[in-house]
Amino acid sequence: MTQHLVIPDRSARIVGGDPLAQRRTGWWRDAVIYQVYPRSFADANGDGMGDLAGVRSRLSYLRDLGVDAVWLSPFYASPQADAGYDVADYRKVDPMFGDTADAAGLIEDAHALGLRVIFDLVPNHCSDQHEWFQQALREGPGSALRKRFHFRPGRGLSGELPPNDWESIFGGPAWTRVTEPDGSAGEWYLHLFAPEQPDFDWEHPAVADEFRSILRFWLDLGVDGFRIDVAHGLVKAPGLPDLGMHDQLKLLGNDEMPFFDQDGVHAIYRSWRPILEEYAGDRIFVAEAWTPTVARTANYVRPDELHQAFNFQYLGTPWNAEALRDVVDQTLDAMRPVGAPATWVLSNHDVTRHATRFANEPSSSTQIRTPGDRELGLRRARAATMLMLALPGSAYVYQGEELGLPDVTDLPDEVRQDPSFHRQAGQDGFRDGCRVPIPWSGTAAPYGFGPVEGGPSWLPQPQSWAELSVEAQTGDPTSTLELYRSALAVRIKHPALGAGDSVEWLDAPAGALAFRRTVAGGSDETGADGATGASGAFVCVANTGSVPVRLPLPGRPMLSSGAEPVVIEGPERLAEIAPDTTVWWTC
Ligand code: NOJ
């Protein structure tokens, strides 16, 4: 349907001249940001592991897809105990991904294509191989370097019990006992994640200084922003109190905990914001903050703190019109007072891909272990994506979702690398399923992920992925890739889409939701479509139910995630929307 679309064009900002300079400030208020998981995106040197040279070689694919920015998960020097979220040197690229010149070249190439680049910053913890931690171990109890981490004596007669009852998010105690330089069993250190990831003590001024310096290092290289890992975890409740009988935290849960979402964490972000402001180019921070409510998330994006925060409440919402409408309202209501854009996200490297989540019964877990009804899951995933891209604010796309990739739920145990899989024999440790290298072309693994047919890939790709490759889907108007391309193109062009802080809900039958968006500041000059007389308004209708729904014809259909809507003539013209389908209308 898109090829017949005549709409005013707000895409002039991305063509010709210096692509970035033409963008207005506040680009992040409606940006679509594409997450690259470097291990699994593109492998230029053929060792089975993705690398920065691979990412560079595929940037034009991302430009053509129609995204605004790329966020890369960590590629810093790391022993890879948690796929790079255990950083041994924050200023060094791990040789398996390339070097600093590759990172600089990637930024330069991306900018030349009009794409911004966001790196991942991991300030809650480092690797146990980080020089500071190694020194802290060597220097023993009471040393100045131990104060940069949470070292404590154990409880019990001989210190044999951990200092408190906290459990690691990856399973097992959140404390590990060290052997002191004299060979005795000694203090314990805190690690909210794997033992190889000791938590920094952010009360120590050297930690704060070090991270300000790290920020500048990458800002000087030209990066456009940072995604802040575990942004809600840096400050712990005073005295590190026991949790008592409280259920321990599951991976990426939303419960209140004495180590998450403490009010003191905000002072850190207020100290970071001026650093970013010193640099030209409208650079941003985005928080990975799992908080109990969207209202708590809004605290991270107050005007003097971070710019965006992932909306995990949205990610966790089932494919259900009523629940979706609620979370959209809650989000917009929470963000409006702080003036931050809402964000929308359906998938990332920590959760089961939405094509598989929606193929299964709704679950409170973000880790689904069964393939479910694949066809249904994909139909819903396409509809969910179109709903997401129609909402006001910024949206995140995780690599491979534009291909409709499902999770690989049957990876053999021996190839799994998720540390939580190995620490708790299964529970919640299934993140490898969404991290399988993506298929680009060809009929045999690694499907263009690496340069040589039959070459390695760090996780095996299913045979069925040949038909899901970028090559296989390109040019097929029914493919998920072409749906994403069309939706992103419409999103760039349609004047009512993108930034905003509200939607106008329309009456919709049970099981469906419908909303209108109008051009900010009136439609006469900014949005009117001279060719068709349309007002520049936009309507999105999503049918999450299992039967078709009818509603008054909202306008002219532009794009559908599935079957085209049927127009039913009568005294009132109606549109019929198929189950699990989202349709965009211009009116
Ligand atoms: C959140 C990251 O997204 C996840 O992959 C990682 O394991 C934890 N933080 C610890 O850094």
Side-chain angles (χ1 to χ4, degrees):
M1 278 182 277
T2 41
Q3 62 272 32
H4 304 306
L5 183 64
V6 185
I7 49 167
D9 192 341
R10 67 182 176 90
S11 62
R13 62 192 171 98
I14 58 165
V15 290
D18 172 0
L20 286 182
Q22 289 196 13
R23 295 192 173 197
R24 72 208 181 296
T25 52
W27 62 274
W28 43 276
R29 291 190 171 274
D30 64 1
V32 176
I33 301 176
Y34 184 99
Q35 180 187 358
V36 164
Y37 194 64
R39 292 174 149 241
S40 306
F41 189 64
D43 169 20
N45 67 5
D47 64 356
M49 188 62 77
D51 43 44
L52 296 186
V55 180
R56 277 180 86 176
S57 73
R58 300 287 187 182
L59 286 173
S60 55
Y61 165 77
L62 299 178
R63 189 265 324 267
D64 295 345
L65 183 61
V67 301
D68 300 275
V70 184
W71 147 41
L72 288 103
S73 285
F75 48 76
Y76 313 110
S78 162
Q80 305 289 320
D82 183 20
Y85 282 95
D86 48 319
V87 181
D89 185 340
Y90 287 86
R91 295 178 184 80
K92 195 170 169 225
V93 174
D94 195 288
M96 78 188 218
F97 293 120
D99 58 22
T100 312
D102 291 318
L106 191 157
I107 295 172
E108 201 181 319
D109 290 358
H111 285 178
L113 291 170
L115 294 167
R116 309 222 179 213
V117 181
I118 292 172
F119 287 172
D120 217 309
L121 187 75
V122 189
N124 179 68
H125 47 264
C126 58
S127 159
D128 62 351
Q129 300 307 307
H130 189 282
E131 185 51 27
W132 282 11
F133 191 74
Q134 285 297 311
Q135 275 180 336
L137 291 181
R138 284 197 295 271
E139 292 187 11
S143 69
L145 272 152
R146 286 217 173 170
K147 297 201 164 56
R148 296 176 182 186
F149 300 92
H150 296 277
F151 277 91
R152 295 284 185 281
R155 295 198 278 203
L157 280 181
S158 53
E160 74 281 11
L161 300 172
N164 72 18
D165 67 356
W166 297 359
E167 282 180 11
S168 149
I169 287 145
F170 290 159
W175 297 89
T176 292
R177 194 171 195 186
V178 302
T179 302
E180 300 299 357
D182 66 3
S184 63
E187 291 188 318
W188 298 70
Y189 68 90
L190 176 69
H191 51 87
L192 292 184
F193 295 88
E196 296 87 352
Q197 294 168 293
D199 279 48
F200 285 113
D201 185 345
W202 271 84
E203 300 289 318
H204 197 293
V207 174
D209 285 349
E210 173 67 353
F211 273 91
R212 285 195 284 263
S213 157
I214 294 164
L215 286 175
R216 288 183 194 284
F217 178 84
W218 294 109
L219 288 167
D220 288 340
L221 204 77
V223 75
D224 297 291
F226 300 92
R227 174 258 191 197
I228 313 299
D229 187 62
V230 199
H232 56 315
L234 277 51
V235 171
K236 278 72 180 176
L240 312 183
D242 274 340
L243 275 167
M245 294 304 289
H246 194 298
D247 270 354
Q248 293 280 342
L249 187 65
K250 300 284 185 299
L251 179 70
L252 305 176
N254 279 336
D255 296 347
E256 284 182 44
M257 292 284 160
F259 39 77
F260 278 164
D261 197 27
Q262 301 294 304
D263 288 337
V265 82
H266 297 288
I268 298 170
Y269 303 130
R270 282 196 286 271
S271 79
W272 285 6
R273 182 67 180 249
I275 297 176
L276 227 59
E277 309 287 350
E278 281 171 30
Y279 287 81
D282 212 10
R283 310 188 194 202
I284 67 158
F285 289 118
V286 52
E288 188 221 16
W290 294 78
T291 66
T293 60
V294 206
R296 290 290 301 183
T297 305
N299 290 338
Y300 291 77
V301 290
R302 289 177 285 198
D304 57 349
E305 296 193 34
L306 308 176
H307 298 72
Q308 293 187 344
F310 293 115
N311 187 346
F312 293 125
Q313 273 80 11
Y314 185 72
L315 186 150
T317 305
W319 180 237
N320 171 290
E322 206 179 323
L324 287 162
R325 192 177 151 151
D326 277 357
V327 73
V328 168
D329 276 340
Q330 283 168 26
T331 302
L332 295 172
D333 289 349
M335 295 298 150
R336 207 174 295 117
V338 292
T343 68
W344 313 102
V345 57
L346 290 165
S347 284
N348 66 30
H349 66 291
D350 287 328
V351 303
T352 302
R353 287 179 176 281
H354 60 286
T356 298
R357 288 205 312 277
F358 295 148
N360 283 276
E361 286 300 312
S363 158
S364 58
S365 171
T366 52
Q367 313 266 303
I368 309 295
R369 298 169 54 181
T370 48
D373 179 341
R374 284 217 167 124
E375 221 174 283
L376 177 71
L378 181 59
R379 197 160 60 239
R380 290 179 170 171
R382 291 164 57 111
T385 296
M386 275 188 57
L387 170 61
M388 170 176 87
L389 293 176
L391 291 167
S394 177
Y396 280 80
V397 170
Y398 174 51
Q399 66 175 44
E401 70 170 74
E402 78 278 20
L403 304 176
L405 296 187
D407 249 46
V408 181
T409 49
D410 58 356
L411 284 171
D413 289 356
E414 58 277 12
V415 303
R416 292 186 181 274
Q417 295 200 11
D418 184 345
S420 56
F421 177 79
H422 297 287
R423 273 178 71 79
Q424 47 190 26
Q427 191 212 335
D428 273 355
F430 290 87
R431 297 180 299 170
D432 292 305
C434 65
R435 298 175 176 179
V436 173
I438 64 172
W440 291 92
S441 58
T443 52
Y447 307 112
F449 164 67
V452 183
E453 200 174 273
S457 70
W458 72 278
L459 285 173
Q461 301 152 302
Q463 231 170 358
S464 56
W465 280 20
E467 63 199 42
L468 295 178
S469 74
V470 170
E471 182 181 58
Q473 295 197 39
T474 295
D476 172 359
T478 66
S479 73
T480 303
L481 177 58
E482 293 299 349
L483 178 71
Y484 269 71
R485 287 177 173 155
S486 298
L488 289 166
V490 174
R491 190 183 148 100
I492 289 173
K493 284 172 173 256
H494 200 289
L497 284 174
D501 66 2
S502 60
V503 297
E504 180 196 343
W505 293 110
L506 305 176
D507 286 342
L513 60 80
F515 60 88
R516 187 198 320 271
R517 299 195 55 197
T518 46
V519 184
S523 61
D524 280 358
E525 283 172 24
T526 43
D529 180 339
T532 63
S535 71
F538 166 93
V539 168
C540 174
V541 182
N543 179 5
T544 66
S546 53
V547 291
V549 293
R550 290 181 179 184
L551 69 169
L553 188 68
R556 191 157 55 86
M558 287 189 286
L559 189 63
S560 171
S561 68
E564 299 206 5
V566 181
V567 177
I568 298 167
E569 302 291 351
E572 187 185 25
R573 294 182 82 205
L574 297 174
E576 182 173 279
I577 321 285
D580 296 315
T581 301
T582 297
V583 182
W584 288 0
W585 313 77
T586 192
C587 34

